Amino acid sequence: DIVMTQSPDSLAVPLGERATINCKSSQSVLYSSRNDNYLAWFQKKSGQPPRLLIYWASTRESGVPDRFSGSGSGTDFTLTISSLQAEDVAVYYCQQYYSSPYTFGQGTKLEIK
Amino acid sequence: EVQLEESGGGLVQPGGSLRLSCSGSGFSFNDYWMSWVRQAPGKGLEWVANIKYDGTEKNYVDSVKGRFTISRDNAKKSVFLQMNSLRAEDTAVYYCARLESYFRYWGQGILVTVS
């Protein structure tokens, strides 16, 4: 199984500042023949279903504000929120869909400082 | 508009059974793999099972193999999760999700409590 490890576990950032969440996979999730990284990012708020933010490691989902961006390749990935807004308080998860079982990171709790 | 709606959750004793249903609308149901994902209280997200669009392929996380069965009825635009031999650690909110490589659409979730 591919193990996904996020860092940090929690993060407090002032409003308007940059927030960065890292995700590392135990093996590459890059499908080299397609040059696609099978990596997604989700936002999870209490009482709501997960919301897809980013897929293929860097493609922003329709309707997601452009302050959210994803980067990385192979085993190391980053979710960046360029200017933190109050509504971004949530837990963020990375997830690999390269191989079954599809595994999630442990989550990063993002708060306002 | 794509919509997924789960039903069938509730309270069950350890060792008991429960069947979850998920009804899909707003898309061609029989064109997509479907999945169940769960979140235990205070824990992270865990993928549980997948089923191919025609029902011919199914995958499970190790912790539910032999106890849970995923199935679908494309005529009714529904996917099911039969959960047997339930354990306290199966207590979670269960989400139905449409799989298109990644999980784009999710239901609101249904709570299953094993106690």
Side-chain angles (χ1 to χ4, degrees):
Chain A
D1 298 1
I2 299 177
V3 177
M4 308 299 291
T5 304
Q6 292 180 225
S7 61
D9 289 334
S10 63
L11 182 61
V13 174
L15 284 172
E17 296 298 304
R18 178 185 300 262
T20 301
I21 299 170
N22 300 301
C23 175
K24 189 174 184 67
S25 57
S26 61
Q27 63 189 75
S28 177
V29 298
L30 172 63
Y31 197 145
S32 53
S33 64
R34 300 179 184 176
N35 199 33
D36 282 328
N37 287 279
Y38 283 52
L39 189 285
W41 288 96
F42 295 89
Q43 178 190 67
K44 179 72 171 67
K45 295 182 179 180
S46 181
Q48 297 183 19
R51 177 193 184 192
L52 177 67
L53 298 175
I54 303 286
Y55 55 95
W56 302 128
S58 60
T59 302
R60 191 182 308 111
E61 170 68 334
S62 175
V64 173
D66 61 7
R67 63 180 180 273
F68 290 89
S69 63
S71 63
S73 185
T75 62
D76 292 281
F77 301 91
T78 300
L79 175 70
T80 301
I81 307 172
S82 60
S83 176
L84 189 69
Q85 304 300 304
E87 60 265 32
D88 300 334
V89 170
V91 179
Y92 291 84
Y93 294 91
C94 62
Q95 180 244 333
Q96 65 83 18
Y97 47 96
Y98 182 88
S99 66
S100 181
Y102 302 136
T103 44
F104 292 85
Q106 79 277 19
T108 295
K109 186 175 183 180
L110 178 59
E111 298 174 313
I112 304 296
K113 190 172 187 179
Chain B
E1 180 192 6
V2 173
Q3 290 190 326
L4 298 168
E5 184 174 4
E6 302 92 344
S7 61
L11 176 63
V12 61
Q13 293 183 342
S17 297
L18 211 55
R19 189 192 194 214
L20 302 183
S21 300
C22 170
S23 176
S25 61
F27 65 101
S28 181
F29 188 83
N30 55 9
D31 283 345
Y32 290 91
W33 287 66
M34 296 297 295
S35 294
W36 289 95
V37 178
R38 67 184 178 183
Q39 185 174 34
K43 302 293 185 183
L45 297 168
E46 180 183 42
W47 167 79
V48 174
N50 277 351
I51 185 167
K52 194 175 180 179
Y53 41 81
D54 59 1
T56 59
E57 187 174 336
K58 305 174 185 181
N59 301 294
Y60 301 91
V61 68
D62 281 351
S63 59
V64 308
K65 283 180 182 175
R67 301 189 300 122
F68 289 13
T69 302
I70 189 171
S71 62
R72 65 191 295 159
D73 183 336
N74 285 342
K76 295 183 178 178
K77 298 185 178 181
S78 294
V79 60
F80 309 99
L81 188 66
Q82 177 66 44
M83 303 185 294
N84 298 332
S85 302
L86 281 161
R87 306 166 180 167
E89 54 264 36
D90 296 317
T91 294
V93 174
Y94 284 74
Y95 297 97
C96 167
R98 192 180 90 174
L99 184 61
E100 42 196 280
S101 293
Y102 42 87
F103 301 117
R104 169 169 271 157
Y105 294 105
W106 299 69
Q108 288 299 308
I110 192 86
L111 178 62
V112 172
T113 303
V114 184
S115 178

